[in-house]
Amino acid sequence: MIDIIGMVFIGVGLSFDVLGCLGLVRLPDVYNRLQAATKCVTLGTCSILFGTFLVSGGFTETGFKALIAIVFLVLASPVAAHAVSRGAHRAGIKLWDRSVVDSYAEDKEGEA
Amino acid sequence: MKSRILMFVFAFAVWCILTWVPDVQQLIAGGAVALIVSVVMGSMFVNRPHMLFNPIRVFYFLFWYVPVFIWELIRANFDVAYRVIHPGMPIKPGIVRLRTELKSDTGLTFLANSITLTPGTLTVDINRDDGVLYIHWINVVGTDPETTFREIGSRFEPMLKKIFEEDVVE
């Protein structure tokens, strides 16, 4: 029974990962792509790891490692996205031409 | 000093979990590694150790912040999935300002990370002096401070204020 639940978690995680990669291809600019990549891949991978935890039989060697990987992933992936997007903006990469507003560029003009 | 001791305990616990099931050799190696880590990095681990042991804050964190966060994360995924699959790609992106009253490092970090993992928003930069977060929003509803606070900040800021800021716990 617990194996089946674990498999369901792994399946759900895989489909979210696929959607995240699809977003990476379809969305127009680096910021929108980061949105898809960060959110879907974080939850997708966490779900796969949680499924691994269940399938491997709970608190075993593998299970513990999967759980701790979830914590590190949730802490690290938004920080990475933050660093990439800030770096991209500072390097002068423009937003998609149909973007409505860019307050960050407005505020930065004064300081530069 | 207190921060270093906490760092040592934390690093050692993580080591034990990573090398489960621990034996004597691994415990000695883990102790050495945790000691090095806590000497080098320990001073920046926690600035205010008393906050970590406040049961009310821990309780709020585990039973209020974490469930809301997981719920918002799941919603964010369906939101992105919908926008990606939809043939017309209903997006209207832009970078907006969000004013925040949080002051502490931990609070700001958690706010920025929570915003990044919740529906349609991604933190691009933080200006600590003015208390402004720049947020890439996949579907801009409005740019004035009230709208951005209502749509983005109001979900997390009040609870993070209770958990991480001084003087407001009761």
Side-chain angles (χ1 to χ4, degrees), chain A residues 31-48:
Chain A
Y31 309 99
N32 289 309
R33 286 175 176 179
L34 270 175
Q35 297 242 11
T38 322
K39 292 185 231 303
C40 283
V41 174
T42 306
L43 186 75
T45 313
C46 284
S47 178
I48 292 176

Side-chain angles (χ1 to χ4, degrees), chain A residues 16 19 23 26-28 31-32 35 39-40 43 61 64-65 82 85-86 89 99-104 106-107, chain B residues 17-18 20 76-77 81 84-87 89 91 93-95 97 116 118 120-121 123-125 134 136 138 140:
Chain A
F16 273 123
L19 286 173
R26 276 202 74 193
L27 291 172
Y31 309 99
N32 289 309
Q35 297 242 11
K39 292 185 231 303
C40 283
L43 186 75
E61 260 176 84
F64 264 125
K65 284 177 185 120
H82 170 72
S85 63
R86 183 169 181 272
H89 204 289
S99 301
V100 273
V101 61
D102 188 354
S103 307
Y104 189 40
E106 287 164 24
D107 282 9
Chain B
I17 294 170
L18 276 177
W20 199 261
N77 274 272
V84 168
I85 294 175
H86 197 286
M89 262 207 308
I91 60 173
I95 296 182
R97 293 185 199 90
T116 297
T118 50
T121 49
T123 314
V124 176
D125 202 359
Y134 295 97
H136 183 266
I138 207 165
V140 176

Side-chain angles (χ1 to χ4, degrees), chain B residues 50-67:
Chain B
H50 61 279
M51 310 272 278
L52 199 61
F53 296 114
N54 187 324
I56 302 168
R57 290 180 199 272
V58 174
F59 177 82
Y60 274 145
F61 182 78
L62 287 181
F63 295 101
W64 190 21
Y65 172 75
V66 172

Side-chain angles (χ1 to χ4, degrees), chain A residues 16-95:
Chain A
F16 273 123
D17 269 7
V18 168
L19 286 173
C21 296
L22 191 65
L24 207 60
V25 177
R26 276 202 74 193
L27 291 172
D29 68 355
V30 62
Y31 309 99
N32 289 309
R33 286 175 176 179
L34 270 175
Q35 297 242 11
T38 322
K39 292 185 231 303
C40 283
V41 174
T42 306
L43 186 75
T45 313
C46 284
S47 178
I48 292 176
L49 286 167
F50 191 69
T52 315
F53 166 75
L54 290 179
V55 171
S56 71
F59 293 95
T60 58
E61 260 176 84
T62 325
F64 264 125
K65 284 177 185 120
L67 279 191
I68 211 158
I70 291 179
V71 176
F72 284 135
L73 192 69
V74 168
L75 286 178
S77 95
V79 177
H82 170 72
V84 172
S85 63
R86 183 169 181 272
H89 204 289
R90 297 232 151 193
I93 293 173
K94 295 270 178 294
L95 269 71

